[in-house]
Every structure is written in C-alpha cells, then in structure tokens.
C-alpha cells in the first residue's frame, strides 16, 4: 500500500511521461508535491522503486520508467506491469542496447564533468591532474558552491561506504572538511587517496570503510584536503 504522497508522485510521473515522453525533473516533482526539499522526493522515489512501481535507469540523467500502477491509478488488480513508455534520456558512458532519443544536456539538467584520473580507495597512489575523459552527471548532484570534478575509484577500502572499485565519484573542490566527511586527501603533496576524514588534535586520521585496512594517522601538515565526495556513478 502506498502513502498519499507516494501515490501523488507516481501519478505525476506517469502523467508527465505519457504527455511528454520524459519524466519530470526533481525540481518539478518537489513543486508539484509542495515539498520543501529534494531529499523528500529522493525518499519517495526510493520507496516507489523498492515496491516495484518504478525503476531508475543507471547512468541516465532524469530517467525513470513506470513499471506498474496501483488500482487507485487505473492499474490492474494483480499489479500487472504496464507497457514501458518511450523515454527521452541521456546515455551514460556505457552504450545501451535499446534505442533512445538523446536530449541536449541542458534540457535534462545534466552537466559534463572532467574525469581527472584514478583515486585510490586503498593504498594511496600518485595524485593525478590529467583529464582522461568527461562524464555526464545530474545537475542536482553538483548543486552548491565550488567547482566539481570526477575521479575513478581504484581499490576496495571504501566498500562499506558503498564505494566500489571502478565507481566514478563526484568531488566538490574544497580545502575544508568536517569529521566523518569522505574526502580526497593529498598526502605530502604526492599521493592522493579517498578516505573518511577525522581531526585528532594536531593529527589527521584517514579512515577506510573496510576493516581490512588500518586507519592512517598523519601530522596535519602532511595532509591537504582537495575536495569532498558529493555523488557517485556506477557502471554495471
């Protein structure tokens, strides 16, 4: 059974897809449901996805597919799936076998970010400042002040934080971090690593999210914060 807000959002998405062939943006959903923040929309979307009413298409900005409707919205009694509507989406960095109609990045509130190379989620590797390619990300992921860039993760030290080898992490440039933030840390101006940041007196602790890796405690002048994690993109 869906809550009223979940039902309203599903109805709004379904009608917009039928009318325009593309789902509404998170801003449009927030306005339609009179919610104060996008986090409420994220929770409703997740709940609908967990219940099988919608599915999100990986690596595509603003791509939501309605799978079925409840009886209250004209669905069948047994929850039979609806025919999938035609969606206008942006391809991610892996080709999809299904034909789609690409939309301009601006139309779906997506941005292209430079992928600056690899970042170690394990033993630190040399800092990389070369752009290897670009990746399209939802505009909501890079909202806020500061420049953003992307890095490819190498290693498994952050797996318990949901960050796997091969993931693309979205980083907002900053030199300031709070305890518990996942940051890009530059060690002695030579090595870069992705870890949780903790300040311990005059020292900095870089903590992995994998018990197989020990926490590294370094003098504060040996560590420079290069940015904070704000998003993640995964390829399947």
């Amino acid at each position: 059974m869906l809550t009223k807000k979940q039902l309203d959002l599903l109805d709004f998405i379904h009608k917009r897809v039928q009318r325009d062939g593309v789902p509404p943006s998170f801003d449009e959903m927030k306005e339609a449901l009179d919610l104060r923040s996008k986090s409420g929309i994220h929770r409703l979307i997740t709940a609908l996805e967990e219940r099988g009413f919608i599915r999100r298409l990986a690596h595509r900005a603003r791509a939501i597919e309605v799978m079925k409707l409840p009886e209250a919205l004209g669905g069948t009694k047994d929850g039979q799936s609806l025919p999938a509507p035609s969606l206008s989406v942006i391809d991610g960095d892996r080709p999809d076998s299904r034909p789609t109609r690409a939309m301009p990045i601006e139309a779906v509130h997506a941005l292209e970010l430079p992928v600056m190379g690899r970042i170690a989620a394990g033993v630190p590797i040399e800092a990389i400042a070369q752009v290897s390619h670009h990746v399209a990300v939802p505009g909501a992921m890079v909202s806020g002040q500061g420049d953003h860039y992307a890095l490819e993760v190498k290693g498994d030290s952050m797996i318990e934080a949901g960050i796997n080898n091969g993931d693309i992490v979205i980083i907002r440039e900053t030199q300031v971090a709070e305890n518990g933030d996942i940051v890009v840390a530059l060690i002695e101006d030579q090595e870069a690593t992705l870890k949780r940041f903790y300040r311990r007196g005059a020292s900095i602790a870089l903590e992995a999210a994998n018990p197989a890796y020990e926490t590294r405690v370094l003098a504060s002048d040996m560590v420079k914060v290069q940015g904070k994690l704000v998003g993640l993109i995964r390829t399947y």
Side-chain angles (χ1 to χ4, degrees):
M1 181 177 295
L2 298 180
T3 66
K4 184 179 184 304
K5 285 291 187 184
Q6 292 167 356
L7 194 65
D8 289 345
L9 180 59
L10 180 61
D11 186 37
F12 180 64
I13 293 171
H14 177 57
K15 288 179 178 177
R16 181 61 67 85
V17 171
Q18 284 190 318
R19 189 190 75 183
D20 300 338
V22 62
S25 69
F26 272 46
D27 284 325
E28 291 170 330
M29 295 181 205
K30 179 170 70 72
E31 183 177 349
L33 271 68
D34 195 25
L35 295 179
R36 293 183 179 180
S37 69
K38 294 179 185 177
S39 61
I41 295 296
H42 279 283
R43 288 192 292 271
L44 292 173
I45 288 289
T46 299
L48 290 172
E49 187 174 32
E50 290 174 347
R51 289 162 175 77
F53 288 98
I54 64 172
R55 70 173 178 135
R56 285 177 280 194
L57 306 180
H59 306 301
R60 296 182 178 185
R62 195 172 153 187
I64 297 173
E65 184 175 7
V66 178
M67 303 301 295
K68 63 182 181 182
L69 292 177
E71 287 186 81
L73 297 181
T76 59
K77 185 174 182 180
D78 60 359
Q80 182 179 349
S81 296
L82 299 171
S86 174
L87 295 179
S88 298
V89 297
I90 284 185
D91 288 336
D93 55 356
R94 173 171 290 187
D96 197 310
S97 58
R98 292 172 297 178
T100 60
R101 291 183 287 114
M103 293 183 65
I105 288 177
E106 309 84 61
V108 292
H109 309 293
L111 298 172
E112 279 198 348
L113 292 183
V115 179
M116 303 299 292
R118 289 186 173 183
I119 182 72
V123 179
I125 58 177
E126 286 187 75
I128 298 176
Q130 297 289 332
V131 176
S132 60
H133 60 284
H134 287 74
V135 63
V137 301
M141 192 179 290
V142 294
S143 60
Q145 297 181 344
D147 293 330
H148 294 73
Y149 59 93
L151 292 166
E152 181 183 352
V153 174
K154 180 180 180 181
D156 62 357
S157 75
M158 298 301 291
I159 56 174
E160 292 190 1
I163 303 171
N164 298 335
N165 184 56
D167 287 347
I168 299 293
V169 289
I170 310 303
I171 305 296
R172 178 172 63 84
E173 287 188 20
T174 180
Q175 297 179 350
V176 180
E178 302 292 334
N179 285 341
D181 286 343
I182 297 177
V183 305
V184 173
L186 185 65
I187 301 172
E188 296 187 287
D189 293 322
Q190 294 183 344
E191 300 173 327
T193 188
L194 188 71
K195 294 290 185 293
R196 286 199 184 276
F197 173 95
Y198 292 96
R199 189 175 296 279
R200 297 181 180 175
S203 300
I204 300 295
L206 300 176
E207 182 180 285
N210 183 338
Y213 294 83
E214 294 184 358
T215 298
R216 296 187 66 183
V217 180
L218 303 162
S220 58
D221 61 358
M222 296 174 62
V223 179
K224 295 179 181 178
V225 174
Q226 301 287 286
K228 292 168 56 174
L229 176 75
V230 296
L232 181 145
I233 298 174
R234 177 166 299 154
T235 300
Y236 292 94

